[in-house]
Amino acid sequence: MSAESEKQQTRNRIFTPPPEPAEQSAAWTSVDRDSDHESDVDMFCCHRVQDSLLSSSSRFTDYRGILNWIIILLVLTHAHLFLENFIQHGFLIDLRKVLEHLMEDNYNWPSVYMILAANVFAVIALLLEKFQDKGILTFRAGHYLHVTNLLLLTVFPPAVILHHDKCISTGGALLSLSIYTTLGLKLYSYQEVNCWYRQEGVRSEGVQRCMSPEGNGGGSHLSMKDLYYFLLAPTLCYQRDFPRTPSIRINFLLRWMLEMVMLTQLMVGIMQQWVGPIFQSSETSFSNMDATTRIEHLVELVAPSHFLWLILFFLFSHSCLNLSGELLRFGDRQFYGDWWNAETLESFWRKWNVPFHKWTYRHLYKPLLRRNISPWQADLLIFLLSAAFCEYVIAMSLRTCRFWIFFLMILELLVAEFLGHHLTGNYGNGFVWLCLLLGPPLAVMMYFHDYYMGHRSQPHWSLL
């Protein structure tokens, strides 16, 4: 045998695959035949009726790749903005400025005293309920006294803030008004539900369903302990026995506390590092700007105002309310729905603040329907009340009233009414996000911009 033939045999032994079992070989042969048959069919008939994936009629919903691409693009874009900001302005974050801004009237803290004074209105509401339960006050007299108490609660904080303008800081005023507004909603629910209990009695099926087995019913619930549990609980709707969790979970408490600290610092950083330079570059307030300059500044404020709104939502609606609920073992933790998937503004308004939606449905919507008011009129009145609450808290905190938040929310309502039937599905969800970008959060930022323009000439004054 020649050398060439030996080399060829060796090469064949090396590259020849090992023999296969008979069953496995038969199975593979069957699969290959099926695949060959399918490929033959595709060669003759390779077309069928189908839509493009990005067409609205295709019902295709798996956009994970596009979502990842958008997230990466947003991160890179804003990383460039942050880098440019640092190069141009340097490192502006200083927590000491925040503490200096929170100092009030040489450490006398008038806003703290105003918050403590809110207990007076709560105690008055409890006493009125006890007097009605014992028959000392009639229903009509108790109702009028409750209304008077709520009116005084609404008028008291702005009167103090406007009278002591230079003593109360912006943060203290905003916190005080938020607490008083929440207290007003809670006390209204408190007196309304106790009135229902007295009218229906504990024998009613609806009353028994909301009472725990160990509940005593009657006037025993009209106590300071019961009232303050409700006032501290993360809800606006009162009932005599709330659902409770078995125990307090320490690990969840620590996590939510860490979230609150980190998110608060992030908000301060965005305000000082991003929003501050935009405010400082302005020469006049929004009211006195020409149209081109106003649009330019609004475009610059869209991104930071939106980020601040998202962070504030997670900080309050998730971390703070869950922390309060865990400490009090409050069982109902549905503080928000999947508003980010909302396809209409009406759906967003129902989902983004579930406690407030429950309050409006329970104490406004259903009573209005019982008074023969149509559903759309009831929805309109509730929406106007919501817009007035938002305008009241922000405008009174900053000692100015321009109705920007109120008018923007009304504009959103009109746009939702005219375009809501045409924008559905993904288009509707995109429209909702557009309204969130250009809606009330931007109006709040406009308020803070004009407040900064009116106070930046004062010594030792800063944005935060």
Side-chain angles (χ1 to χ4, degrees):
M1 184 179 297
S2 63
E4 292 295 331
S5 61
E6 291 180 356
K7 292 180 179 180
Q8 184 64 33
Q9 291 179 2
T10 303
R11 189 179 299 109
N12 291 339
R13 287 195 300 269
I14 295 174
F15 293 101
T16 299
E20 301 174 350
E23 296 180 359
Q24 186 176 1
S25 178
W28 286 356
T29 303
S30 176
V31 172
D32 291 339
R33 287 177 181 174
D34 292 340
S35 61
D36 291 341
H37 177 70
E38 292 178 0
S39 62
D40 291 340
V41 173
D42 291 339
M43 289 178 63
F44 288 99
C45 301
C46 62
H47 295 290
R48 63 181 183 272
V49 177
Q50 54 186 343
D51 295 316
S52 301
L53 291 183
L54 298 180
S55 175
S56 59
S57 58
S58 68
R59 297 182 179 179
F60 179 76
T61 58
D62 189 7
Y63 294 104
R64 289 175 297 173
I66 296 179
L67 179 62
N68 292 333
W69 167 66
I70 293 175
I71 292 175
I72 293 173
L73 186 63
L74 286 174
V75 170
L76 293 177
T77 302
H78 288 92
H80 172 263
L81 291 177
F82 291 146
L83 180 61
E84 184 179 1
N85 181 280
F86 280 119
I87 294 175
Q88 184 175 358
H89 303 287
F91 189 76
L92 302 177
I93 300 176
D94 188 359
L95 295 179
R96 291 177 300 178
K97 293 183 179 180
V98 181
L99 299 177
E100 292 175 359
H101 189 67
L102 293 177
M103 297 298 112
E104 296 180 339
D105 192 22
N106 297 324
Y107 303 97
N108 286 331
W109 301 96
S111 61
V112 175
Y113 296 139
M114 186 165 61
I115 294 173
L116 293 177
N119 291 280
V120 176
F121 300 97
V123 173
I124 290 175
L126 175 62
L127 293 177
L128 291 176
E129 288 302 317
K130 285 188 174 184
F131 291 158
Q132 290 183 81
D133 189 71
K134 294 178 180 179
I136 300 176
L137 285 176
T138 62
F139 167 76
R140 184 177 297 274
H143 174 72
Y144 285 138
L145 290 174
H146 269 302
V147 171
T148 303
N149 186 44
L150 291 174
L151 287 176
L152 291 175
L153 183 148
T154 305
V155 174
F156 176 72
V160 174
I161 291 171
L162 294 177
H163 185 265
H164 299 281
D165 185 13
K166 297 181 180 179
C167 301
I168 301 178
S169 67
T170 306
L174 182 60
L175 178 62
S176 302
L177 283 169
S178 300
I179 291 177
Y180 269 82
T181 303
T182 304
L183 178 63
L185 297 176
K186 283 176 175 279
L187 291 184
Y188 184 88
S189 179
Y190 183 72
Q191 60 91 19
E192 188 87 351
V193 174
N194 277 308
C195 178
W196 296 344
Y197 278 110
R198 283 191 295 271
Q199 292 176 352
E200 297 294 332
V202 295
R203 293 168 300 186
S204 172
E205 180 183 355
V207 175
Q208 291 291 346
R209 190 184 300 118
C210 288
M211 295 186 66
S212 62
E214 63 271 13
N216 297 321
S220 61
H221 283 84
L222 297 177
S223 62
M224 199 73 73
K225 178 181 178 181
D226 176 70
L227 172 62
Y228 274 88
Y229 180 88
F230 167 58
L231 295 182
L232 296 175
T235 180
L236 297 175
C237 295
Y238 175 72
Q239 65 186 56
R240 287 189 173 175
D241 290 279
F242 293 102
R244 304 287 185 94
T245 56
S247 60
I248 298 176
R249 298 168 294 181
I250 303 299
N251 56 334
F252 283 92
L253 282 179
L254 296 177
R255 188 183 71 180
W256 287 320
M257 291 176 63
L258 181 62
E259 288 177 356
M260 292 172 60
V261 173
M262 294 180 62
L263 292 176
T264 303
Q265 292 180 348
L266 182 59
M267 291 182 63
V268 171
I270 291 177
M271 288 294 294
Q272 291 183 337
Q273 190 69 43
W274 195 348
V275 179
I278 298 177
F279 284 5
Q280 293 170 6
S281 64
S282 303
E283 297 180 357
T284 183
S285 64
F286 273 105
S287 304
N288 299 324
M289 287 181 183
D290 57 88
T292 305
T293 307
R294 187 180 302 172
I295 294 175
E296 179 184 1
H297 277 75
L298 287 177
V299 170
E300 290 178 337
L301 290 171
V302 165
S305 65
H306 188 66
F307 286 146
L308 287 171
W309 183 84
L310 290 176
I311 295 171
L312 183 62
F313 163 80
F314 192 88
L315 173 64
F316 177 74
S317 297
H318 184 77
S319 301
C320 293
L321 293 185
N322 270 299
L323 179 69
S324 173
E326 194 67 32
L327 287 172
L328 297 173
R329 294 173 46 216
F330 187 80
D332 187 1
R333 307 288 178 86
Q334 190 182 10
F335 305 127
Y336 53 88
D338 59 335
W339 56 263
W340 47 86
N341 291 327
E343 298 179 359
T344 61
L345 284 174
E346 291 85 353
S347 176
F348 166 78
W349 292 325
R350 288 194 303 268
K351 293 179 177 180
W352 87 277
N353 192 339
V354 171
F356 184 72
H357 173 68
K358 286 182 179 180
W359 187 92
T360 55
Y361 180 82
R362 190 190 197 195
H363 297 293
L364 293 180
Y365 186 77
K366 296 294 288 185
L368 288 174
L369 292 185
R370 286 194 289 267
R371 294 176 178 269
N372 297 324
I373 296 178
S374 63
W376 76 268
Q377 290 177 329
D379 287 333
L380 177 61
L381 291 175
I382 292 172
F383 184 82
L384 292 176
L385 178 65
S386 304
F389 274 151
C390 295
E391 184 73 31
Y392 164 79
V393 172
I394 299 299
M396 291 296 99
S397 301
L398 302 179
R399 293 82 163 176
T400 182
C401 187
R402 303 183 186 275
F403 293 102
W404 286 335
I405 302 174
F406 185 83
F407 287 139
L408 266 178
M409 293 184 69
I410 298 300
L411 180 61
E412 282 187 354
L413 178 65
L414 296 176
V415 172
E417 182 66 25
F418 286 105
L419 298 181
H421 303 291
H422 304 285
L423 298 175
T424 58
N426 290 331
Y427 299 107
N429 182 253
F431 174 71
V432 170
W433 278 106
L434 182 63
C435 290
L436 294 181
L437 285 167
L438 304 178
L442 191 59
V444 173
M445 193 60 66
M446 293 166 59
Y447 260 113
F448 276 94
H449 174 275
D450 282 13
Y451 182 75
Y452 170 81
M453 296 302 300
H455 293 77
R456 68 175 180 178
S457 59
Q458 298 179 4
H460 306 295
W461 199 93
S462 62
L463 181 62
L464 268 180

